[in-house]
Amino acid sequence: MTETMPSTPARPDGGPFRHELYPYRGEEQFLSGTLEYIHEALEADEAVVVAVPEDKTSLLRGELADEPAVTFVNATTAGSNPGRHIAAWSAWMNQRGEGGRPVRGIGETAWRQARSAAHLSELRYHEWLMNRAFARSSTWSMLCPYDAADEDQDALRSLSRCHPQIRREGQYAPNEDYLSGNEYSFDALAAPCDPFQELSYTHGDLAAIRSKVAQCAADAGVPEDRLPKLAVSVTEIATNSIRHGGGHGTLRIWAQDATFLCEFRDSGYIPDAMTGRSRPEANQIGGRGLWLVHQLCDLVEIRSTPDRGTTIRLHMDAPQR
Amino acid sequence: MRSVRALATLDEVELGDHVCWRVDPADAFADARSYVADGALYGDKLVIIGSLGTVAVQRDRLPTASVILDLPHLADPDVMLAAVRREASAAVREGFRSVRVLAEQTPLAEPGGAEELLARELKLEEFASESGAIVVCAFRAAQWEASTLEQATCVHPQEMGTRAARPAFRMFSTGTDSWGVDGVVDSECAAAFNAAVRAVMRRTPMVKLRFDAVEMIDAAGMRALVDAARHLPERRIVVEGANEIVRLCWGLAGYATADVPVVMAA
């Protein structure tokens, strides 16, 4: 069962932004494909930003010495929540692309370190959203190496649907599997784990929501120093329900597999899938609520359709005691 | 040190308190009578602003040297405050411990009445903070718009009533052009916060806000703060003492730039 989410229109081929999936097997193929991509960039006087796992970084550094056009960034600084990654990439690419210089990014997600099925699902959605986020970036392109050694064809197919191009044997080509429409096929949200607590809220209930969530989060083992982040996050989501989601909503709270979850449901609709994924400007009037939530929570799942309303799940790690 | 708190009755007032009292009509101002009687007990000079005294306490039962300021021109907050200050100075000369002010606030009919009320309350707040006088402001809830009353409540460091009546935040004087904020500033009280900060900014180009007791501020609260600073030209707010989550959210929200006339100091 899947849900769909409309987004801003995108060209079937992904637009001028080139976003290539590069399935490889083993270190040798990783190096050959990424180095080829980098050398293409250097020959065209383009800058390169590399954000790959630490072991792959070491491999590439060993081959590139001190090439000044290539910048290695620590992908973990953006945090584990995929909802933060577009802003991080945007900042890295902007820094290296000063003066309109074309920039290529190489980003490999540590897929096997995904913390849960929900995390994996949001990582894939992030890859698909990159096409929307950078659709008008004619000077940016991106290569996503993917270690296909485990022969998991389903995983490869799922990821393949998020990339408009695919690179094989040094050439990129349109990817026929690419999900080119304006709707993304989400994995359905898993059912809340029993026991869960549920409360309805409307104007005047923000303090009660914070109080309830703080109590349940502490009981579930969320560290004390993370409770303020949760307080801000639940305030923002409940505020959105009250202001834009029909004036009221329902909150469910539960803990599952070392994760504390808050699920908000309301009748509102978030038409722009990019909401909350771009860093706000100082003079921007609104649009900070979901941005803050993405920055403060460990994972955020958003499902919103005009007919079924909006469901937002906030995940916060709750280490087992 | 002035304490931010709720009072169960006016018997609990202390020197320097500035109390918001939502008058219950059923009480028929019985609390006022004990407040007046306590003034005599502690050696405070009673100053009544408005007509409350004539309703709540019979004139012939007022302690000697009590003053009733019930003049039309007292609607001007500067005139009102000057009159109260004069009485406070006289009280010291006359050997009283302090003045004990009872002010019944009445809605102003003209446009901008809510803003004028805030200006008036902030002056009384500064007066209580600086002089150590006790100021109790009485509001008959039925006479007021809920939003105006909410704004007024937020600029009193104390209120009398049940727990449910407590405001999400309170703003109170901590010295010249310095204001403390206590509680939570979220979307439900952002408009009141904006109004309070704007009222403060009317009088001076630079204001210090002490955030030591602010638990959290959300996106609407931060915007309310920035909008208040931008409401008039050449204004600047310095926020001090903010906790880690407030400073984190401020930076994430994109306000930590020179373009924003609010500085989140360490």
Side-chain angles (χ1 to χ4, degrees):
Chain A
M1 182 180 158
T2 59
E3 294 177 71
T4 56
M5 185 179 204
S7 180
T8 49
R11 284 170 35 178
D13 63 353
F17 172 63
R18 221 172 73 204
H19 186 201
E20 304 172 38
L21 179 67
Y22 171 48
Y24 67 89
R25 283 184 173 79
E27 288 182 356
E28 195 176 323
Q29 270 196 12
F30 170 82
L31 271 179
S32 65
T34 52
L35 286 173
E36 197 169 44
Y37 187 76
I38 290 170
H39 288 309
E40 284 172 15
L42 298 180
E43 284 165 19
D45 196 28
E46 296 174 0
V48 181
V49 177
V50 181
V52 296
E54 205 170 332
D55 56 330
K56 306 285 174 47
T57 298
S58 299
L59 287 173
L60 284 173
R61 278 189 190 279
E63 297 292 330
L64 291 165
D66 295 323
E67 173 55 59
V70 180
T71 305
F72 289 89
V73 294
N74 182 353
T76 62
T77 56
S80 61
N81 179 3
R84 303 177 201 164
H85 293 179
I86 283 174
W89 272 107
S90 187
W92 294 332
M93 302 285 259
N94 270 315
Q95 282 164 10
R96 300 301 299 164
E98 279 183 355
R101 185 183 189 186
V103 190
R104 294 188 183 206
I106 299 178
E108 179 172 349
T109 299
W111 294 98
R112 291 190 184 84
Q113 291 170 23
R115 296 126 51 94
S116 63
H119 188 211
L120 199 59
S121 175
E122 293 304 310
L123 281 167
R124 281 196 295 264
Y125 181 46
H126 153 73
E127 291 291 344
W128 186 78
L129 272 185
M130 291 280 271
N131 305 304
R132 265 68 187 160
F134 301 147
R136 296 192 205 105
S137 303
S138 58
T139 58
W140 290 0
S141 55
M142 188 117 187
L143 181 74
C144 299
Y146 176 76
D147 185 351
D150 63 4
E151 307 286 347
D152 183 345
Q153 293 304 308
D154 286 343
L156 180 57
R157 195 174 303 112
S158 294
L159 190 58
S160 179
R161 290 159 65 86
C162 305
H163 292 79
Q165 289 90 25
I166 193 157
R167 176 169 284 248
R168 294 187 196 281
E169 297 172 356
Q171 300 292 321
Y172 74 89
N175 177 12
E176 291 176 0
D177 288 338
Y178 174 56
L179 188 61
S180 61
N182 295 319
E183 293 183 344
Y184 181 78
S185 296
F186 280 103
D187 297 331
L189 294 175
C193 178
D194 278 330
F196 60 81
Q197 298 202 35
E198 182 173 301
L199 66 144
S200 299
Y201 57 88
T202 186
H203 179 77
D205 292 336
L206 292 182
I209 287 173
R210 284 191 294 268
S211 174
K212 185 70 176 173
V213 168
Q215 179 199 335
C216 294
D219 290 347
V222 175
E224 195 173 340
D225 62 350
R226 309 204 70 203
L227 297 180
K229 293 183 176 182
L230 202 49
V232 174
S233 300
V234 299
T235 299
E236 295 296 348
I237 302 300
T239 293
N240 281 350
S241 294
I242 293 163
R243 288 187 170 177
H244 312 296
H248 55 87
T250 305
L251 167 63
R252 281 182 177 176
I253 302 166
W254 70 97
Q256 184 175 10
D257 299 334
T259 302
F260 177 73
L261 292 103
C262 298
E263 178 187 276
F264 295 80
R265 288 178 182 265
D266 63 48
S267 59
Y269 170 51
I270 304 171
D272 184 358
M274 287 302 299
T275 302
R277 291 179 186 255
S278 303
R279 180 175 289 280
E281 301 288 333
N283 293 322
Q284 185 176 315
I285 291 175
R288 289 183 172 80
L290 272 176
W291 162 260
L292 288 176
V293 172
H294 273 302
Q295 303 305 310
L296 298 174
C297 292
D298 292 321
L299 187 69
V300 181
E301 297 174 277
I302 302 174
R303 306 288 186 269
S304 187
T305 60
D307 53 335
R308 297 170 65 180
T310 295
T311 301
I312 298 181
R313 280 190 184 175
L314 311 182
H315 297 232
M316 204 62 117
D317 289 352
Q320 300 288 301
R321 288 177 287 195
Chain B
M1 182 77 180
R2 302 168 79 210
S3 61
V4 174
R5 67 193 195 283
L7 312 179
T9 72
L10 289 180
D11 295 345
E12 299 171 22
V13 291
E14 295 173 0
L15 291 176
D17 279 358
H18 175 208
V19 183
C20 179
W21 174 27
R22 295 194 191 202
V23 178
D24 181 351
D27 282 349
F29 296 95
D31 278 304
R33 285 191 281 276
S34 62
Y35 177 70
V36 168
D38 279 353
L41 186 65
Y42 288 107
D44 297 334
K45 181 176 183 176
L46 185 68
V47 176
I48 295 175
I49 303 173
S51 58
L52 175 65
T54 57
V55 174
V57 187
Q58 291 174 342
R59 280 173 185 267
D60 58 2
R61 291 194 180 178
L62 290 176
T64 54
S66 297
V67 175
I68 300 175
L69 301 173
D70 186 13
L71 302 167
H73 64 274
L74 289 178
D76 181 328
D78 289 322
V79 173
M80 177 273 298
L81 189 65
V84 174
R85 284 191 189 281
R86 273 197 302 277
E87 295 303 333
S89 299
V92 171
R93 288 196 304 273
E94 293 160 5
F96 287 99
R97 181 182 72 154
S98 180
V99 288
R100 178 173 284 241
V101 177
L102 183 56
E104 180 175 14
Q105 303 292 28
T106 51
L108 302 172
E110 63 265 30
E115 209 165 312
E116 286 305 314
L117 172 70
L118 277 179
R120 186 182 174 92
E121 286 294 353
L122 289 169
K123 285 180 187 297
L124 285 171
E125 168 55 19
E126 274 189 323
F127 167 69
S129 170
E130 289 165 10
S131 68
I134 300 168
V135 179
V136 172
C137 300
F139 295 83
R140 299 183 204 226
Q143 295 180 346
W144 295 88
E145 283 187 18
S147 60
T148 305
L149 195 51
E150 182 196 355
Q151 289 176 12
T153 306
C154 292
V155 292
H156 292 80
Q158 296 86 27
E159 79 279 344
M160 197 177 93
T162 62
R163 181 180 175 82
R166 290 184 189 181
F169 80 93
R170 295 181 177 94
M171 205 165 91
F172 50 91
S173 173
T174 52
T176 305
D177 297 332
S178 175
W179 298 84
V181 184
D182 174 287
V184 166
V185 185
D186 62 21
S187 57
E188 288 177 345
C189 63
F193 184 60
N194 175 266
V197 178
R198 275 170 52 170
V200 166
M201 300 299 294
R202 264 179 28 169
R203 305 184 303 165
T204 177
M206 216 284 277
V207 164
K208 183 165 73 180
L209 293 182
R210 293 290 323 182
F211 264 34
D212 309 71
V214 172
E215 289 171 42
M216 59 153 273
I217 184 168
D218 72 357
M222 288 187 280
R223 186 177 160 201
L225 178 58
V226 172
D227 285 352
R230 285 177 171 158
H231 179 63
L232 292 172
E234 306 296 322
R235 295 297 198 267
R236 185 176 168 84
I237 296 173
V238 177
V239 177
E240 293 182 349
N243 66 22
E244 193 178 339
I245 188 67
V246 170
R247 283 185 280 116
L248 174 64
C249 289
W250 186 258
L252 289 172
Y255 290 129
T257 75
D259 300 343
V260 176
V262 181
V263 176
M264 189 67 62

